[in-house]
């Protein structure tokens, strides 16, 4: 999508601190980190919210989680633990409408989340 900031990051049109990329997903550090490590894993395909995910796109979400798992290991907190979150729409706290998996690690997480 032309006016989607995450599509532009995936296309390399605007800079981001990339930590991982493959044919399906791109991962980069969040500009406003909420943990010592805060990475966003996005699909290259534009999917606005989880509600728009089509059955034939289920593999994309699997790849997002696999990438997050690999990044958690690279960052050194896989065994200690970490959190993965996808916010959906306003009540879920979504502000960028291109699905993204938050990977948060490097500190103790609280539950329930705010
Ligand atoms: P959400 O509120 O779940 O939609 O999360 C959007 C996230 O994107 C927030 O944590 C923002 O800090 C982050 N963000 C927005 N623009 C950028 C950007 N250009 N590069 C990296 N992170 C961004």
């Amino acid at each position: 999508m032309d006016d989607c900031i995450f599509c532009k990051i995936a296309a390399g049109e605007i800079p981001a601190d990339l930590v991982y990329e493959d044919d399906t997903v791109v991962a980069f550090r969040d500009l406003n980190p909420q943990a010592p490590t805060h990475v966003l894993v996005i699909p290259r395909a534009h999917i606005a919210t989880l509600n728009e995910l089509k059955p034939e796109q289920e593999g994309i979400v699997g790849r997002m989680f696999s990438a997050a798992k690999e990044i958690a290991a690279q960052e050194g907190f896989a065994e200690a633990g970490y959190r993965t979150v996808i916010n959906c729409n306003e009540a879920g706290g979504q502000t960028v409408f291109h699905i993204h998996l938050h990977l948060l690690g490097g500190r103790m997480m609280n539950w329930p989340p705010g």
Side-chain angles (χ1 to χ4, degrees):
M1 248 183 75
D2 288 351
D3 59 351
C4 172
I5 190 166
F6 285 180
C7 282
K8 288 180 178 163
I9 288 174
E13 292 169 6
I14 62 170
D17 186 358
L18 296 193
V19 296
Y20 179 84
E21 63 179 322
D22 62 26
D23 289 347
T24 306
V25 303
V26 177
F28 51 94
R29 295 191 192 279
D30 198 294
L31 271 184
N32 183 24
Q34 301 301 312
T37 294
H38 185 173
V39 168
L40 303 175
V41 184
I42 67 167
R44 290 191 183 276
H46 182 81
I47 303 167
T49 80
L50 199 54
N51 290 340
E52 273 73 49
L53 186 76
K54 298 174 181 149
E56 61 269 25
Q57 294 174 314
E58 286 174 359
I60 293 175
V61 176
R63 186 88 274 287
M64 289 165 69
F65 276 93
S66 290
K69 178 197 83 164
E70 289 161 21
I71 295 161
Q74 281 169 23
E75 295 283 325
F77 53 70
E79 295 309 317
Y82 54 93
R83 182 162 293 168
T84 51
V85 177
I86 296 177
N87 296 325
C88 184
N89 275 340
E90 187 181 357
Q94 185 175 7
T95 59
V96 177
F97 289 85
H98 177 130
I99 60 167
H100 44 283
L101 180 62
H102 294 261
L103 168 65
L104 300 138
R107 67 166 170 84
M108 289 299 292
M109 299 293 156
N110 299 315
W111 195 263

